[in-house]
Amino acid sequence: MRPIRYGRWGRVLLWPNGFFLGSYFEWRVPVDDENTLSISWIYTAVPEERRPYRQEVIPSWQSPIKDPETGRWITTHVINQDIIGWVGQGRITDRQKENLGQSDKGIVMMRNRFFKELEAVVEGAAPKGIIRDPEINHKVALAVANRVSLGADAVSRKFILHAGQPDHVRRMCEEAMGYEIDASGL
């Protein structure tokens, strides 16, 4: 694959219920009318000298969003900060009361795209992004600006995404990477 110029592609790929930022996915799955399950899948390639690396278990955990001792929101990690923004809107947000400004242009564009694609489905057409050809649908390369830099680097030495990374998960990551990982956040 040839390098992708940053000016041609964006850094984030968005879908209706998630996004891909080059080294991690985040998915949002509605549980009911007032609750959403948020799932993150984070990827950092092991250093070249540690390959091939065979991972026996894929580590996972449920990340806390509030400090169990104080009851306060945890703000030390990136996704935790996002969660505070979502929860701070209330259980059901009345979109008719929104006052969107110029900085919200992307939100307006994305909502308009969703409505346009919903109209296409109502009219019997397929929405954009549907790949029906089995020859090209088995592995779809995502357009990512920083694809070349997805390997181990200085950023991966500090775990900044979710609070509450358990010690056993941190130790598994350190074993794979061959160095210590700081799980304290930003």
Side-chain angles (χ1 to χ4, degrees):
M1 176 176 279
R2 59 193 176 104
I4 299 172
R5 294 185 315 249
Y6 183 71
R8 183 171 174 207
W9 298 98
R11 293 184 57 84
V12 178
L13 298 174
L14 294 169
W15 296 282
N17 65 327
F19 73 93
F20 174 60
L21 189 61
S23 60
Y24 67 93
F25 285 91
E26 290 185 38
W27 295 101
R28 313 286 182 257
V29 181
V31 175
D32 56 37
D33 286 347
E34 296 184 0
N35 296 284
T36 300
L37 174 64
S38 177
I39 301 169
S40 300
W41 180 71
I42 302 160
Y43 169 79
T44 303
V46 295
E48 191 72 39
E49 66 272 10
R50 299 191 64 83
R51 295 178 195 169
Y53 185 81
R54 299 290 178 236
Q55 189 173 11
E56 298 297 322
V57 176
I58 297 174
S60 66
W61 73 93
Q62 186 169 347
S63 180
I65 58 174
K66 286 188 175 183
D67 183 308
E69 293 178 18
T70 66
R72 296 185 62 143
W73 295 104
I74 298 172
T75 62
T76 54
H77 293 70
V78 174
I79 296 173
N80 289 76
Q81 294 167 7
D82 292 348
I83 290 168
I84 291 170
W86 305 327
V87 173
Q89 296 178 44
R91 295 192 66 81
I92 298 180
T93 301
D94 184 353
R95 300 289 178 208
Q96 294 180 10
K97 293 182 179 181
E98 284 183 322
N99 187 13
L100 299 177
Q102 185 61 31
S103 63
D104 299 312
K105 186 176 181 179
I107 294 169
V108 173
M109 290 171 59
M110 190 166 177
R111 286 182 185 165
N112 287 339
R113 169 55 68 188
F114 292 159
F115 289 130
K116 185 176 181 178
E117 298 308 318
L118 285 170
E119 287 173 18
V121 171
V122 168
E123 294 171 7
K128 288 189 181 241
I130 302 296
I131 302 172
R132 299 197 190 279
D133 182 349
E135 292 299 314
I136 61 173
N137 198 19
H138 66 282
K139 183 178 180 183
V140 179
L142 300 175
V144 179
N146 60 345
R147 183 177 301 281
V148 178
S149 67
L150 290 182
D153 56 23
V155 174
S156 66
R157 293 177 187 265
K158 188 163 185 73
F159 188 79
I160 64 171
L161 297 174
H162 270 291
Q165 184 184 39
D167 287 338
H168 76 279
V169 172
R170 181 185 45 76
R171 285 192 300 273
M172 289 172 68
C173 293
E174 289 174 340
E175 166 64 29
M177 303 306 280
Y179 55 72
E180 289 184 23
I181 297 172
D182 177 0
S184 64
L186 301 175

